[in-house]
Amino acid sequence: EPEVTQTPSHQVTQMGQEVILRCVPISNHLYFYWYRQILGQKVEFLVSFYNNEISEKSEIFDDQFSVERPDGSNFTLKIRSTKLEDSAMYFCASRGDGDGNQPQHFGDGTRLSIL
Amino acid sequence: AQSVTQLGSHVSVSEGALVLLRCNYSSSVPPYLFWYVQYPNQGLQLLLKYTSAATLVKGINGFEAEFKKSETSFHLTKPSAHMSDAAEYFCAVKGLGSSASKIIFGSGTRLSIRP
């Protein structure tokens, strides 16, 4: 079964540094998402992306965050200047076209640790 | 606004016993609901989804959930717990507004299985 893959599985970065989290969505999917889960808390929506533009973003997704689909397969989340509170598990998800009620498929996540 | 509330952050049952994980939803329109499972150090896996076709939904690994409009509930059940069911379970609802349809998660219920 096709999967969403995320790299790296664990990223350790110094505060203030830029970090890029990478995702390869399922190949025929058109909607892409990033979520995060701070340790011990619920999974929170960050941003959705469709047709090469952001469809929706949460209040968490401020100017320090950006997303990009640089080619036909990758979907990236960039944090420009990381803060301690950015430490979390970041999940990428994708969904196929058509019925908006089709489920999103999630990757295994990238654990981001800010020192 | 769409939301889900999971009652009980931690549920412990004996192996072979009934599993019941509670979820109540709040929605201004007929909701589309999901249950996801997260095994330790893994991503989110879809267990089942409700999209108004049938009120009793069967999912993977022997789980099922029943949509009850009168109670605004979507509880997850399994007749006989197995040790491999130990995981975090998230109830979720489809968001409104954007066609990209973000998912809104509950706070999660950790299921422990006693031998």
Side-chain angles (χ1 to χ4, degrees):
Chain A
E1 185 176 328
E3 292 182 343
V4 175
T5 56
Q6 291 185 242
T7 55
S9 57
H10 190 190
Q11 174 79 45
V12 182
T13 301
Q14 292 287 333
M15 186 172 60
Q17 295 296 306
E18 175 183 285
V19 66
I20 297 176
L21 308 183
R22 303 182 189 279
C23 171
V24 179
I26 294 174
S27 63
N28 62 344
H29 283 187
L30 298 178
Y31 294 86
F32 313 112
Y33 308 81
W34 283 101
Y35 294 81
R36 80 171 186 191
Q37 184 183 30
I38 295 172
L39 186 64
Q41 298 186 24
K42 66 167 67 176
V43 178
E44 302 173 288
F45 167 77
L46 290 178
V47 65
S48 58
F49 191 86
Y50 171 70
N51 200 26
N52 284 320
E53 61 182 21
I54 290 174
S55 299
E56 185 180 0
K57 58 183 181 180
S58 72
E59 60 187 23
I60 301 168
F61 194 88
D62 62 21
D63 292 344
Q64 293 300 311
F65 290 86
S66 62
V67 290
E68 191 178 30
R69 188 153 164 81
D71 52 42
S73 61
N74 290 283
F75 179 53
T76 62
L77 174 70
K78 182 194 290 186
I79 309 175
R80 290 189 184 81
S81 178
T82 50
K83 305 190 256 314
L84 293 176
E85 53 263 38
D86 294 328
S87 295
M89 195 76 162
Y90 288 80
F91 292 106
C92 174
S94 69
R95 178 171 70 80
D97 195 7
D99 185 356
N101 304 317
Q102 289 302 309
Q104 296 173 21
H105 297 261
F106 286 78
D108 283 344
T110 293
R111 182 171 301 280
L112 178 62
S113 299
I114 308 301
L115 304 180
Chain B
Q2 310 290 84
S3 68
V4 288
T5 301
Q6 292 184 242
L7 303 173
S9 59
H10 186 203
V11 170
S12 179
V13 302
S14 298
E15 191 173 18
L18 171 72
V19 174
L20 171 60
L21 305 182
R22 299 178 187 273
C23 173
N24 288 91
Y25 68 89
S26 174
S27 177
S28 56
V29 299
Y32 293 98
L33 297 160
F34 309 90
W35 276 98
Y36 282 85
V37 60
Q38 184 180 29
Y39 297 103
N41 300 314
Q42 293 187 28
L44 296 157
Q45 181 181 5
L46 180 70
L47 271 181
L48 49 82
K49 63 177 181 178
Y50 167 75
T51 56
S52 77
T55 56
L56 183 62
V57 182
K58 293 188 183 300
I60 62 172
N61 302 338
F63 284 92
E64 62 183 35
E66 185 172 9
F67 175 76
K68 290 187 178 180
K69 184 178 178 181
S70 60
E71 299 177 9
T72 62
S73 69
F74 189 57
H75 302 332
L76 181 71
T77 60
K78 181 174 181 177
S80 177
H82 192 273
M83 296 299 292
S84 61
D85 294 326
E88 186 94 16
Y89 291 80
F90 293 94
C91 182
V93 64
K94 175 193 157 189
L96 296 178
S98 162
S99 63
S101 305
K102 68 184 178 187
I103 288 178
I104 300 163
F105 287 88
S107 54
T109 297
R110 182 170 302 279
L111 176 64
S112 300
I113 312 296
R114 301 188 300 270

